[in-house]
């Protein structure tokens, strides 16, 4: 059901793009950049993950840069966190640095408001679907119920995006820019309830593993290439 919902949303997005192409001039192009991923596990923030992202966008044309513009984009964004080194309390051994990576397809719609002919700020909303993680690989390396389990990933999440950017035109039909955004999620990307009656390999006693909830926030810096599809009426 969730997968069908995401496919439907994607088809609607493509349909909007096609309608926009037929209707008026618009900017379009790729976005690519670096990501600093932060995850809150229960009430504790993990160390940041250094990753990347890419997207394709379309945007209405505001020739005077007074009213602002509307945009939509579809892309792949890496969310997650990392540990540089820690003691695995389950096995009581020192574990080297690990990366917890959630690969999310993200559909975002929003608006840009220009402060002058080059600087702007933006606000948008996002819906995301987790297509893959590296949790299964980690669980193969470290057989421990204290690690996040792949089956407890919540694939559908939503969030908000806010930021600012600088753009310029190279010619009438080409341009470029750079954006800085903050992307907090509204919902947990992972949740598992408390697990009782687990036998500790250290003490041999029965213990209860606490519930685990994981929520993403990412900081992104993005290079934008802009191409104008110009429609002229005679």
């Amino acid at each position: 059901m969730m997968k069908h919902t995401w496919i439907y949303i994607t088809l609607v997005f493509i349909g909007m793009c096609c309608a926009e192409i037929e209707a008026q001039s618009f900017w379009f192009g790729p976005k690519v950049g670096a990501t600093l991923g932060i995850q809150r596990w229960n009430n504790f923030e993990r160390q940041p993950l250094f990753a990347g992202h890419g997207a394709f966008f379309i945007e209405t044309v505001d020739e005077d840069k007074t009213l602002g513009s509307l945009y939509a984009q579809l892309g792949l964004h890496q969310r997650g966190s990392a540990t540089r080194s820690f003691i695995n309390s389950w096995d009581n051994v020192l574990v080297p640095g690990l990366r917890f990576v959630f690969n999310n397809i993200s559909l975002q719609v929003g608006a840009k408001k220009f402060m002058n002919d080059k600087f702007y700020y933006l606000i948008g909303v996002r819906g995301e679907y987790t297509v893959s993680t590296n949790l299964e690989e980690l669980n193969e390396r470290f057989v421990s119920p204290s690690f996040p389990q792949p089956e407890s990933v919540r694939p559908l999440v939503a969030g908000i995006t806010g930021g600012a950017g600088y753009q310029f035109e190279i010619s009438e039909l080409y341009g470029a820019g750079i954006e800085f955004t903050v992307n907090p999620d509204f919902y947990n990307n992972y949740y598992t309830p408390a697990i009782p009656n687990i036998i500790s390999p250290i003490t041999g006693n029965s213990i209860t593993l606490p519930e685990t909830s994981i929520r993403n926030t990412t900081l992104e810096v993005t290079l934008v290439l802009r191409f104008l599809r110009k429609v002229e009426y005679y």
Side-chain angles (χ1 to χ4, degrees):
M1 182 66 178
M2 289 184 177
K3 290 184 178 180
H4 292 162
T5 300
W6 188 255
I7 293 172
Y8 175 76
I9 292 173
T10 303
L11 291 176
V12 170
F13 171 80
I14 295 173
M16 290 171 58
C17 293
C18 294
E20 184 72 16
I21 288 173
E22 294 298 324
Q24 63 182 19
S25 300
F26 64 93
W27 290 98
F28 70 97
K31 293 183 173 183
V32 64
T35 298
L36 182 68
I38 302 169
Q39 282 185 328
R40 179 173 289 273
W41 290 33
N42 298 334
N43 294 319
F44 300 95
E45 287 189 358
R46 311 286 288 189
Q47 292 175 308
L49 169 75
F50 299 100
H53 63 275
F56 182 87
F57 79 96
I58 62 171
E59 179 186 325
T60 61
V61 175
D62 180 13
E63 295 181 356
D64 298 328
K65 293 186 171 58
T66 55
L67 299 177
S69 61
L70 302 177
Y71 72 88
Q73 68 180 47
L74 183 67
L76 179 63
H77 297 250
Q78 290 186 310
R79 317 296 188 191
S81 60
T83 61
R84 304 300 177 248
S85 64
F86 69 101
I87 295 292
N88 184 353
S89 59
W90 190 258
D91 299 316
N92 199 29
V93 297
L94 181 66
V95 177
L98 298 176
R99 302 169 77 245
F100 300 88
V101 182
F102 293 67
N103 297 308
N104 290 3
I105 293 177
S106 176
L107 173 62
Q108 181 182 149
V109 293
K112 292 168 56 175
K113 179 64 176 178
F114 293 92
M115 293 176 281
N116 53 39
D117 63 343
K118 290 185 172 59
F119 289 94
Y120 61 89
Y121 59 91
L122 64 90
I123 185 73
V125 292
R126 295 176 287 107
E128 300 197 356
Y129 183 81
T130 302
V131 293
S132 66
T133 72
N134 68 335
L135 298 183
E136 185 173 350
E137 174 188 338
L138 293 178
N139 277 274
E140 290 177 354
R141 292 174 55 193
F142 306 98
V143 182
S144 169
S146 63
F147 266 72
Q149 305 299 308
E151 60 271 16
S152 295
V153 173
R154 290 181 166 182
L156 282 177
V157 294
I160 192 171
T161 292
Y166 172 86
Q167 69 182 42
F168 57 92
E169 279 69 51
I170 300 172
S171 69
E172 182 185 6
L173 301 179
Y174 305 99
I178 188 168
E179 287 181 352
F180 301 90
T181 58
V182 181
N183 307 270
D185 284 354
F186 295 144
Y187 310 113
N188 295 325
N189 207 171
Y190 178 97
Y191 177 78
T192 183
I195 304 175
N197 302 320
I198 300 295
I199 303 301
S200 170
I202 301 175
T203 65
N205 298 326
S206 177
I207 62 174
T208 297
L209 294 178
E211 69 174 20
T212 302
S213 60
I214 299 176
R215 185 172 299 188
N216 300 311
T217 298
T218 58
L219 307 178
E220 295 179 344
V221 55
T222 307
L223 175 65
V224 185
L225 298 180
R226 300 163 50 81
F227 304 93
L228 178 63
R229 199 262 190 182
K230 190 172 184 179
V231 176
E232 297 180 343
Y233 296 94
Y234 298 97

